[in-house]
Amino acid sequence: CRWMGSRRNEEHSWKRLAHILSKTGRFRDGAHLCGLGIEKYPGERFFPVCGAGALLEAGLKDEARAMISAGLERFHGDEDLENLSLRL
């Protein structure tokens, strides 16, 4: 992800790449990158939201459920995660 942005904007580069992968139908790749993003940037809610959405689009409901659950533990009451949970 470093080639997409300067070192000080590396987190934003991770977000852009995950978003691009998910929006271009590479749901598993996007979800995998989001899983790595969750580990690297645990305080950023984008990664569980984007990753869970990608997993749902890929039809991987069990994996999406786990990511949503972990995201809600960290970001209690997050509206986007709550809405994703309604798609399970």
Side-chain angles (χ1 to χ4, degrees):
C1 291
R2 290 184 197 169
W3 64 268
M4 291 185 69
S6 66
R7 187 99 175 125
R8 62 190 154 96
N9 290 324
E10 189 174 327
E11 178 182 347
H12 184 68
S13 297
W14 278 66
K15 290 181 201 178
R16 285 191 289 177
L17 183 55
H19 183 75
I20 289 167
L21 290 170
S22 295
K23 292 300 179 185
T24 57
R26 295 179 60 187
F27 303 119
R28 290 175 190 255
D29 293 332
H32 176 73
L33 184 63
C34 286
L36 297 174
I38 289 168
E39 293 176 18
K40 189 168 179 74
Y41 304 105
E44 177 54 59
R45 62 171 285 286
F46 170 86
F47 294 110
V49 170
C50 182
L55 289 167
L56 284 171
E57 290 297 325
L60 302 170
K61 288 189 174 188
D62 290 338
E63 291 88 339
R65 183 177 288 109
M67 189 172 283
I68 291 167
S69 177
L72 285 171
E73 285 180 22
R74 188 171 284 150
F75 306 105
H76 182 72
D78 182 85
E79 185 177 341
D80 292 325
L81 290 168
E82 294 285 351
N83 287 335
L84 287 168
S85 71
L86 297 175
R87 293 177 49 192
L88 292 171

Coordinates of all heavy atoms in Angstrom, one line a residue:
C1 N 0.8 -1.2 0.0 CA 0.0 0.0 0.0 C 0.8 1.3 0.0 O 0.3 2.3 -0.2 CB -0.9 0.0 1.2 SG -2.2 -1.2 1.1
R2 N 2.1 1.1 0.3 CA 3.0 2.3 0.4 C 3.0 3.1 -0.9 O 3.2 4.3 -0.9 CB 4.4 1.9 0.9 CG 4.4 1.5 2.3 CD 5.7 1.2 2.8 NE 5.6 0.4 4.0 CZ 6.6 -0.2 4.6 NH1 7.8 -0.1 4.1 NH2 6.4 -0.9 5.7
W3 N 3.0 2.4 -2.0 CA 3.1 3.2 -3.3 C 1.9 4.1 -3.6 O 2.0 5.0 -4.4 CB 3.4 2.2 -4.4 CG 2.2 1.3 -4.7 CD1 2.0 0.0 -4.1 CD2 1.0 1.5 -5.5 NE1 0.8 -0.5 -4.5 CE2 0.2 0.4 -5.4 CE3 0.6 2.6 -6.3 CZ2 -1.0 0.3 -6.1 CZ3 -0.6 2.4 -6.9 CH2 -1.4 1.3 -6.8
M4 N 0.8 3.8 -2.9 CA -0.4 4.6 -3.1 C -0.4 6.0 -2.3 O -1.2 6.8 -2.6 CB -1.6 3.9 -2.7 CG -1.9 2.7 -3.6 SD -3.5 1.9 -3.2 CE -4.6 3.2 -3.7
G5 N 0.6 6.1 -1.4 CA 0.6 7.4 -0.7 C 1.9 7.5 0.1 O 2.6 6.5 0.3
S6 N 2.1 8.7 0.6 CA 3.3 8.9 1.4 C 3.2 8.1 2.7 O 2.1 7.7 3.2 CB 3.5 10.3 1.7 OG 2.5 10.8 2.5
R7 N 4.3 8.0 3.4 CA 4.4 7.2 4.7 C 3.4 7.8 5.7 O 2.8 7.1 6.4 CB 5.8 7.3 5.2 CG 6.0 6.4 6.4 CD 6.6 5.1 6.0 NE 7.0 4.3 7.1 CZ 6.5 3.1 7.3 NH1 5.8 2.6 6.3 NH2 6.8 2.4 8.3
R8 N 3.2 9.1 5.7 CA 2.3 9.7 6.7 C 0.9 9.5 6.4 O 0.0 9.6 7.2 CB 2.6 11.2 6.9 CG 2.4 12.0 5.7 CD 3.0 13.4 5.9 NE 3.3 14.0 4.6 CZ 2.6 14.8 3.9 NH1 1.4 15.1 4.4 NH2 3.0 15.2 2.8
N9 N 0.6 9.1 5.2 CA -0.8 8.8 4.7 C -1.0 7.3 4.4 O -1.9 7.0 3.7 CB -1.2 9.6 3.5 CG -1.3 11.1 3.9 OD1 -1.8 11.4 4.9 ND2 -0.9 11.9 3.0
E10 N -0.2 6.4 5.0 CA -0.3 5.0 4.7 C -1.7 4.4 5.1 O -2.2 3.6 4.3 CB 0.8 4.3 5.4 CG 0.9 2.8 5.0 CD 2.1 2.1 5.6 OE1 3.1 2.7 5.8 OE2 1.9 0.9 5.9
E11 N -2.2 4.9 6.2 CA -3.5 4.4 6.6 C -4.6 4.7 5.5 O -5.4 3.8 5.2 CB -4.0 4.9 7.9 CG -5.3 4.5 8.4 CD -5.7 5.1 9.7 OE1 -4.9 5.7 10.4 OE2 -6.9 5.1 10.0
H12 N -4.6 5.9 5.0 CA -5.5 6.3 4.0 C -5.3 5.5 2.7 O -6.3 5.1 2.1 CB -5.3 7.8 3.7 CG -6.3 8.3 2.7 ND1 -7.7 8.4 3.0 CD2 -6.2 8.7 1.4 CE1 -8.3 8.9 1.9 NE2 -7.4 9.1 0.9
S13 N -4.1 5.1 2.4 CA -3.8 4.3 1.3 C -4.4 2.9 1.4 O -4.9 2.3 0.5 CB -2.3 4.1 1.0 OG -1.7 5.4 0.8
W14 N -4.3 2.3 2.6 CA -4.9 1.0 2.9 C -6.4 1.1 2.7 O -7.0 0.2 2.1 CB -4.6 0.6 4.4 CG -3.3 0.0 4.6 CD1 -2.1 0.6 4.4 CD2 -3.0 -1.3 5.0 NE1 -1.1 -0.3 4.7 CE2 -1.6 -1.5 5.1 CE3 -3.9 -2.4 5.2 CZ2 -1.1 -2.7 5.4 CZ3 -3.3 -3.6 5.6 CH2 -1.9 -3.7 5.7
K15 N -7.0 2.2 3.2 CA -8.5 2.4 3.0 C -8.8 2.5 1.5 O -9.8 1.8 1.1 CB -8.9 3.7 3.7 CG -8.9 3.6 5.2 CD -9.4 4.9 5.7 CE -9.0 5.2 7.1 NZ -9.5 6.5 7.6
R16 N -8.1 3.3 0.8 CA -8.4 3.4 -0.7 C -8.3 2.1 -1.4 O -9.1 1.7 -2.2 CB -7.4 4.4 -1.3 CG -7.8 5.8 -1.0 CD -7.0 6.8 -1.8 NE -5.6 6.8 -1.4 CZ -4.7 7.5 -2.0 NH1 -4.9 8.2 -3.0 NH2 -3.4 7.4 -1.5
L17 N -7.2 1.3 -1.1 CA -7.0 0.0 -1.8 C -8.2 -1.0 -1.4 O -8.7 -1.6 -2.3 CB -5.7 -0.6 -1.5 CG -5.3 -1.9 -2.2 CD1 -5.5 -1.7 -3.7 CD2 -3.9 -2.3 -1.8
A18 N -8.5 -1.0 -0.1 CA -9.6 -1.9 0.3 C -10.9 -1.5 -0.4 O -11.7 -2.4 -0.9 CB -9.7 -1.9 1.8
H19 N -11.2 -0.2 -0.5 CA -12.4 0.2 -1.1 C -12.4 -0.1 -2.6 O -13.4 -0.6 -3.2 CB -12.5 1.7 -1.0 CG -13.7 2.3 -1.5 ND1 -15.0 2.2 -0.9 CD2 -14.0 3.0 -2.6 CE1 -15.9 2.8 -1.6 NE2 -15.3 3.3 -2.7
I20 N -11.2 0.1 -3.3 CA -11.1 -0.3 -4.7 C -11.4 -1.7 -4.9 O -12.1 -2.1 -5.8 CB -9.8 0.2 -5.3 CG1 -9.7 1.7 -5.4 CG2 -9.5 -0.5 -6.6 CD1 -8.3 2.2 -5.6
L21 N -10.7 -2.6 -4.1 CA -10.9 -4.0 -4.3 C -12.3 -4.4 -4.1 O -12.9 -5.2 -4.9 CB -10.0 -4.8 -3.3 CG -8.5 -4.7 -3.6 CD1 -7.7 -5.3 -2.4 CD2 -8.1 -5.4 -4.8
S22 N -13.0 -3.9 -3.1 CA -14.4 -4.2 -2.9 C -15.3 -3.7 -4.0 O -16.2 -4.4 -4.4 CB -14.8 -3.7 -1.5 OG -14.1 -4.3 -0.5
K23 N -15.1 -2.5 -4.4 CA -16.0 -1.9 -5.4 C -15.7 -2.5 -6.8 O -16.6 -2.3 -7.7 CB -15.8 -0.4 -5.5 CG -16.3 0.3 -4.2 CD -17.8 0.0 -4.0 CE -18.3 0.7 -2.8 NZ -19.7 0.3 -2.5
T24 N -14.6 -3.2 -7.0 CA -14.4 -3.8 -8.3 C -14.6 -5.3 -8.3 O -14.2 -6.1 -9.2 CB -12.9 -3.6 -8.8 OG1 -12.0 -4.1 -7.8 CG2 -12.7 -2.1 -9.0
G25 N -15.4 -5.8 -7.3 CA -15.8 -7.2 -7.3 C -14.7 -8.2 -6.7 O -15.0 -9.4 -6.7
R26 N -13.7 -7.7 -6.2 CA -12.6 -8.5 -5.6 C -12.9 -8.6 -4.1 O -12.1 -8.1 -3.3 CB -11.3 -8.0 -6.0 CG -11.0 -8.1 -7.5 CD -9.6 -7.6 -7.8 NE -8.6 -8.3 -7.2 CZ -7.3 -8.0 -7.2 NH1 -6.9 -7.0 -7.9 NH2 -6.4 -8.7 -6.6
F27 N -14.1 -9.1 -3.8 CA -14.5 -9.1 -2.4 C -13.6 -9.8 -1.4 O -13.4 -9.3 -0.3 CB -16.0 -9.6 -2.3 CG -16.9 -8.9 -3.2 CD1 -17.6 -9.6 -4.2 CD2 -17.2 -7.5 -3.0 CE1 -18.5 -8.9 -5.0 CE2 -18.1 -6.9 -3.8 CZ -18.7 -7.6 -4.8
R28 N -13.2 -11.0 -1.8 CA -12.3 -11.7 -0.9 C -11.0 -11.0 -0.6 O -10.5 -10.9 0.5 CB -12.0 -13.1 -1.4 CG -13.3 -14.0 -1.3 CD -13.0 -15.3 -2.0 NE -14.2 -16.1 -2.1 CZ -14.5 -17.2 -1.4 NH1 -13.7 -17.6 -0.4 NH2 -15.6 -17.8 -1.5
D29 N -10.4 -10.4 -1.7 CA -9.2 -9.6 -1.5 C -9.4 -8.4 -0.7 O -8.6 -8.1 0.2 CB -8.6 -9.2 -2.9 CG -8.2 -10.4 -3.7 OD1 -7.8 -11.4 -3.2 OD2 -8.2 -10.3 -5.0
G30 N -10.5 -7.7 -0.9 CA -10.9 -6.5 -0.1 C -11.0 -6.9 1.4 O -10.6 -6.2 2.3
A31 N -11.8 -8.0 1.6 CA -12.0 -8.4 3.0 C -10.7 -8.8 3.7 O -10.5 -8.5 4.8 CB -13.0 -9.6 3.0
H32 N -9.8 -9.5 2.9 CA -8.5 -9.9 3.5 C -7.7 -8.7 3.9 O -7.1 -8.6 4.9 CB -7.7 -10.8 2.5 CG -6.4 -11.1 3.0 ND1 -6.2 -12.1 3.9 CD2 -5.2 -10.7 2.6 CE1 -4.9 -12.2 4.2 NE2 -4.2 -11.3 3.4
L33 N -7.7 -7.7 3.0 CA -6.9 -6.5 3.3 C -7.5 -5.7 4.5 O -6.8 -5.2 5.3 CB -6.9 -5.5 2.0 CG -6.1 -4.3 2.2 CD1 -4.6 -4.6 2.4 CD2 -6.3 -3.4 1.0
C34 N -8.9 -5.8 4.6 CA -9.5 -5.2 5.7 C -9.1 -5.9 7.0 O -8.9 -5.3 8.1 CB -11.0 -5.1 5.5 SG -11.5 -3.9 4.4
G35 N -9.0 -7.2 6.9 CA -8.6 -8.0 8.1 C -7.2 -7.5 8.6 O -6.9 -7.4 9.8
L36 N -6.3 -7.3 7.6 CA -5.0 -6.8 7.9 C -5.0 -5.4 8.5 O -4.3 -5.0 9.4 CB -4.1 -6.9 6.7 CG -3.8 -8.3 6.1 CD1 -3.0 -8.2 4.8 CD2 -3.0 -9.1 7.1
G37 N -5.9 -4.6 7.9 CA -6.1 -3.2 8.3 C -6.6 -3.2 9.8 O -6.2 -2.3 10.5
I38 N -7.5 -4.1 10.1 CA -8.0 -4.1 11.5 C -6.8 -4.4 12.5 O -6.8 -3.7 13.5 CB -9.1 -5.2 11.7 CG1 -10.3 -4.8 10.9 CG2 -9.3 -5.5 13.1 CD1 -11.4 -5.9 10.8
E39 N -5.9 -5.2 12.1 CA -4.7 -5.5 13.0 C -3.8 -4.3 13.0 O -3.3 -4.0 14.1 CB -4.0 -6.7 12.4 CG -4.8 -8.0 12.6 CD -4.0 -9.2 12.0 OE1 -2.8 -9.1 11.7 OE2 -4.7 -10.2 11.7
K40 N -3.6 -3.7 11.9 CA -2.6 -2.6 11.8 C -3.2 -1.3 12.4 O -2.4 -0.5 13.0 CB -2.2 -2.4 10.3 CG -1.1 -1.4 10.1 CD -0.5 -1.5 8.7 CE 0.6 -0.6 8.4 NZ 1.9 -1.0 9.1
Y41 N -4.5 -1.0 12.2 CA -5.1 0.2 12.6 C -6.4 -0.1 13.4 O -7.5 0.0 13.0 CB -5.5 1.1 11.4 CG -4.3 1.4 10.5 CD1 -4.1 0.7 9.3 CD2 -3.4 2.3 10.9 CE1 -3.1 1.0 8.5 CE2 -2.3 2.6 10.1 CZ -2.1 1.9 8.9 OH -1.0 2.2 8.1
P42 N -6.2 -0.7 14.6 CA -7.4 -1.2 15.4 C -8.4 -0.1 15.8 O -9.5 -0.4 16.0 CB -6.7 -1.8 16.6 CG -5.4 -1.2 16.7 CD -5.0 -0.8 15.3
G43 N -8.0 1.2 15.8 CA -8.9 2.2 16.1 C -9.7 2.8 15.0 O -10.5 3.7 15.1
E44 N -9.5 2.2 13.8 CA -10.2 2.7 12.6 C -11.4 1.9 12.2 O -11.2 0.7 11.9 CB -9.2 2.8 11.4 CG -9.8 3.2 10.1 CD -10.5 4.5 10.2 OE1 -9.9 5.5 10.5 OE2 -11.7 4.6 9.9
R45 N -12.6 2.4 12.3 CA -13.8 1.7 12.1 C -14.1 1.3 10.6 O -14.9 0.5 10.3 CB -15.0 2.4 12.6 CG -15.3 3.8 12.0 CD -16.6 4.4 12.4 NE -17.7 3.8 11.8 CZ -18.1 4.0 10.5 NH1 -17.3 4.7 9.7 NH2 -19.2 3.4 10.0
F46 N -13.4 2.0 9.7 CA -13.5 1.7 8.3 C -13.3 0.2 7.9 O -14.1 -0.4 7.2 CB -12.6 2.6 7.4 CG -12.5 2.2 6.0 CD1 -13.5 2.7 5.1 CD2 -11.6 1.3 5.5 CE1 -13.4 2.3 3.8 CE2 -11.5 0.9 4.2 CZ -12.5 1.4 3.3
F47 N -12.3 -0.3 8.5 CA -11.9 -1.7 8.1 C -12.9 -2.8 8.4 O -13.2 -3.6 7.6 CB -10.5 -2.0 8.6 CG -9.4 -1.2 8.0 CD1 -8.8 -0.2 8.7 CD2 -9.1 -1.3 6.7 CE1 -7.8 0.6 8.2 CE2 -8.1 -0.5 6.1 CZ -7.5 0.5 6.8
P48 N -13.5 -2.8 9.6 CA -14.5 -3.8 9.9 C -15.8 -3.5 9.0 O -16.4 -4.5 8.6 CB -14.8 -3.7 11.4 CG -14.2 -2.5 11.9 CD -13.1 -2.1 10.9
V49 N -16.1 -2.3 8.8 CA -17.3 -2.0 8.0 C -17.1 -2.4 6.5 O -17.9 -3.1 6.0 CB -17.6 -0.5 8.1 CG1 -18.7 -0.1 7.1 CG2 -18.0 -0.1 9.5
C50 N -16.0 -2.0 6.0 CA -15.7 -2.4 4.6 C -15.5 -3.9 4.4 O -16.0 -4.5 3.5 CB -14.5 -1.6 4.1 SG -14.0 -1.9 2.3
G51 N -14.8 -4.5 5.3 CA -14.5 -5.9 5.3 C -15.7 -6.7 5.4 O -15.9 -7.7 4.7
A52 N -16.6 -6.4 6.4 CA -17.8 -7.1 6.5 C -18.7 -7.0 5.3 O -19.4 -7.9 4.9 CB -18.6 -6.7 7.8
G53 N -18.8 -5.8 4.8 CA -19.6 -5.6 3.5 C -19.1 -6.4 2.4 O -19.9 -7.0 1.7
A54 N -17.8 -6.5 2.3 CA -17.2 -7.3 1.2 C -17.5 -8.8 1.4 O -17.8 -9.5 0.5 CB -15.7 -7.1 1.1
L55 N -17.4 -9.2 2.7 CA -17.7 -10.6 3.0 C -19.1 -11.0 2.7 O -19.4 -12.1 2.1 CB -17.3 -10.9 4.4 CG -15.8 -11.0 4.8 CD1 -15.6 -11.0 6.3 CD2 -15.2 -12.2 4.1
L56 N -20.0 -10.1 3.0 CA -21.4 -10.3 2.7 C -21.6 -10.4 1.2 O -22.4 -11.2 0.7 CB -22.3 -9.2 3.3 CG -22.5 -9.3 4.8 CD1 -23.2 -8.0 5.3 CD2 -23.4 -10.5 5.1
E57 N -21.0 -9.5 0.4 CA -21.1 -9.5 -1.0 C -20.5 -10.8 -1.6 O -21.0 -11.3 -2.6 CB -20.4 -8.3 -1.7 CG -21.1 -7.0 -1.4 CD -22.5 -6.9 -2.0 OE1 -22.7 -7.5 -3.1 OE2 -23.3 -6.3 -1.4
A58 N -19.5 -11.4 -1.0 CA -18.9 -12.6 -1.4 C -19.8 -13.9 -1.0 O -19.4 -15.0 -1.3 CB -17.5 -12.8 -0.9
G59 N -20.8 -13.6 -0.2 CA -21.6 -14.7 0.3 C -21.1 -15.4 1.5 O -21.5 -16.6 1.8
L60 N -20.1 -14.8 2.2 CA -19.4 -15.5 3.3 C -20.0 -14.9 4.6 O -19.4 -14.1 5.3 CB -17.9 -15.2 3.2 CG -17.3 -15.7 2.0 CD1 -15.8 -15.2 1.8 CD2 -17.3 -17.2 1.9
K61 N -21.3 -15.4 4.9 CA -22.0 -14.8 6.0 C -21.4 -15.1 7.4 O -21.4 -14.3 8.3 CB -23.4 -15.3 6.0 CG -24.2 -14.6 4.9 CD -25.7 -14.9 5.0 CE -26.5 -14.1 3.9 NZ -27.9 -14.2 4.1
D62 N -20.8 -16.3 7.6 CA -20.2 -16.6 8.9 C -19.0 -15.7 9.1 O -18.9 -15.2 10.3 CB -19.8 -18.1 8.9 CG -21.0 -19.0 9.0 OD1 -22.1 -18.6 9.4 OD2 -20.8 -20.2 8.6
E63 N -18.2 -15.5 8.1 CA -17.0 -14.7 8.3 C -17.5 -13.2 8.5 O -16.9 -12.5 9.3 CB -16.1 -14.8 7.1 CG -15.4 -16.1 6.9 CD -16.2 -17.1 6.1 OE1 -17.5 -17.0 6.0 OE2 -15.6 -18.1 5.6
A64 N -18.5 -12.8 7.8 CA -19.0 -11.4 8.0 C -19.6 -11.3 9.4 O -19.3 -10.2 10.0 CB -20.1 -11.1 6.9
R65 N -20.3 -12.3 9.9 CA -20.9 -12.2 11.2 C -19.7 -12.0 12.2 O -19.9 -11.2 13.2 CB -21.6 -13.5 11.5 CG -22.3 -13.5 12.9 CD -23.2 -14.7 13.1 NE -24.4 -14.7 12.3 CZ -24.6 -15.4 11.2 NH1 -23.7 -16.3 10.8 NH2 -25.7 -15.3 10.5
A66 N -18.6 -12.8 12.1 CA -17.5 -12.7 13.0 C -16.9 -11.3 12.9 O -16.6 -10.7 14.0 CB -16.5 -13.7 12.7
M67 N -16.7 -10.7 11.7 CA -16.1 -9.4 11.6 C -17.0 -8.3 12.2 O -16.6 -7.4 12.8 CB -15.8 -9.1 10.2 CG -14.9 -7.8 10.0 SD -14.3 -7.6 8.3 CE -12.9 -8.8 8.3
I68 N -18.3 -8.4 11.9 CA -19.3 -7.5 12.5 C -19.3 -7.5 14.0 O -19.3 -6.5 14.7 CB -20.7 -7.7 11.9 CG1 -20.7 -7.4 10.4 CG2 -21.8 -6.9 12.7 CD1 -22.0 -7.9 9.7
S69 N -19.3 -8.7 14.5 CA -19.3 -8.9 16.0 C -18.1 -8.3 16.6 O -18.2 -7.6 17.6 CB -19.4 -10.4 16.3 OG -19.4 -10.6 17.7
A70 N -16.9 -8.6 16.0 CA -15.7 -8.0 16.6 C -15.7 -6.5 16.4 O -15.2 -5.8 17.3 CB -14.5 -8.6 15.9
G71 N -16.2 -6.0 15.3 CA -16.3 -4.6 15.1 C -17.2 -3.9 16.1 O -16.9 -2.8 16.6
L72 N -18.3 -4.5 16.4 CA -19.3 -3.9 17.4 C -18.7 -4.0 18.8 O -19.1 -3.1 19.6 CB -20.6 -4.6 17.3 CG -21.5 -4.3 16.1 CD1 -22.7 -5.2 16.0 CD2 -21.9 -2.8 16.1
E73 N -17.9 -5.0 19.1 CA -17.2 -5.0 20.4 C -16.3 -3.8 20.5 O -16.2 -3.2 21.6 CB -16.4 -6.3 20.6 CG -17.2 -7.5 20.9 CD -16.4 -8.7 21.0 OE1 -15.2 -8.6 21.4 OE2 -16.9 -9.8 20.8
R74 N -15.7 -3.4 19.5 CA -14.7 -2.3 19.5 C -15.4 -1.0 19.3 O -15.1 0.0 19.9 CB -13.7 -2.5 18.4 CG -12.5 -1.5 18.4 CD -11.4 -1.9 17.5 NE -10.7 -3.0 18.0 CZ -10.1 -3.9 17.3 NH1 -10.1 -3.9 16.0 NH2 -9.4 -4.9 17.9
F75 N -16.4 -0.9 18.5 CA -17.2 0.3 18.1 C -18.6 0.1 18.4 O -19.5 0.1 17.5 CB -17.0 0.7 16.6 CG -15.5 0.7 16.2 CD1 -14.9 -0.3 15.5 CD2 -14.7 1.8 16.6 CE1 -13.6 -0.2 15.1 CE2 -13.4 1.9 16.3 CZ -12.8 0.8 15.5
H76 N -18.9 0.0 19.7 CA -20.3 -0.3 20.2 C -21.3 0.6 19.6 O -21.1 1.9 19.7 CB -20.3 -0.3 21.7 CG -21.6 -0.6 22.3 ND1 -22.1 -1.9 22.3 CD2 -22.6 0.1 22.9 CE1 -23.3 -1.9 22.8 NE2 -23.6 -0.7 23.2
G77 N -22.4 0.1 19.0 CA -23.4 0.9 18.5 C -23.2 1.5 17.2 O -24.0 2.4 16.7
D78 N -22.1 1.2 16.5 CA -21.8 1.8 15.2 C -22.9 1.5 14.2 O -23.3 0.4 14.0 CB -20.5 1.2 14.6 CG -20.1 1.8 13.3 OD1 -19.5 2.9 13.4 OD2 -20.5 1.3 12.3
E79 N -23.5 2.5 13.7 CA -24.7 2.4 12.8 C -24.4 1.6 11.5 O -25.2 0.8 11.1 CB -25.1 3.8 12.4 CG -26.4 3.8 11.6 CD -26.9 5.2 11.3 OE1 -26.5 6.2 11.9 OE2 -27.7 5.4 10.4
D80 N -23.2 1.8 10.9 CA -22.9 1.0 9.7 C -22.8 -0.5 10.0 O -23.3 -1.3 9.3 CB -21.6 1.5 9.1 CG -21.8 2.9 8.5 OD1 -22.9 3.2 8.0 OD2 -20.8 3.7 8.5
L81 N -22.1 -0.8 11.1 CA -22.0 -2.2 11.5 C -23.4 -2.8 11.8 O -23.7 -4.0 11.5 CB -21.0 -2.4 12.6 CG -19.5 -2.1 12.2 CD1 -18.7 -2.1 13.5 CD2 -19.0 -3.2 11.3
E82 N -24.2 -2.0 12.5 CA -25.5 -2.5 12.9 C -26.3 -2.8 11.6 O -27.0 -3.8 11.5 CB -26.3 -1.5 13.8 CG -25.7 -1.3 15.1 CD -26.0 -2.4 16.1 OE1 -26.8 -3.3 15.8 OE2 -25.4 -2.4 17.2
N83 N -26.3 -1.9 10.7 CA -27.0 -2.1 9.4 C -26.5 -3.3 8.7 O -27.3 -4.0 8.1 CB -26.9 -0.8 8.5 CG -27.7 0.3 9.0 OD1 -28.7 0.1 9.7 ND2 -27.3 1.5 8.7
L84 N -25.2 -3.5 8.7 CA -24.7 -4.7 8.0 C -25.2 -6.0 8.7 O -25.4 -7.0 8.1 CB -23.1 -4.7 8.0 CG -22.5 -3.7 7.0 CD1 -21.0 -3.6 7.3 CD2 -22.7 -4.2 5.6
S85 N -25.3 -5.9 10.0 CA -25.8 -7.1 10.8 C -27.2 -7.5 10.4 O -27.6 -8.6 10.5 CB -25.7 -6.9 12.3 OG -26.6 -6.0 12.7
L86 N -28.0 -6.5 9.9 CA -29.3 -6.8 9.5 C -29.4 -7.6 8.2 O -30.4 -8.2 7.8 CB -30.1 -5.5 9.3 CG -30.3 -4.6 10.5 CD1 -31.0 -3.3 10.2 CD2 -31.1 -5.4 11.6
R87 N -28.3 -7.6 7.4 CA -28.2 -8.3 6.2 C -27.8 -9.8 6.4 O -27.8 -10.5 5.4 CB -27.2 -7.7 5.3 CG -27.6 -6.3 4.8 CD -26.6 -5.6 3.9 NE -26.0 -6.4 2.9 CZ -25.0 -6.1 2.2 NH1 -24.3 -5.0 2.4 NH2 -24.5 -6.9 1.2
L88 N -27.5 -10.2 7.6 CA -27.1 -11.6 7.9 C -28.3 -12.5 7.8 O -29.4 -12.2 8.1 CB -26.4 -11.7 9.2 CG -25.1 -11.0 9.3 CD1 -24.6 -11.0 10.8 CD2 -24.1 -11.7 8.4

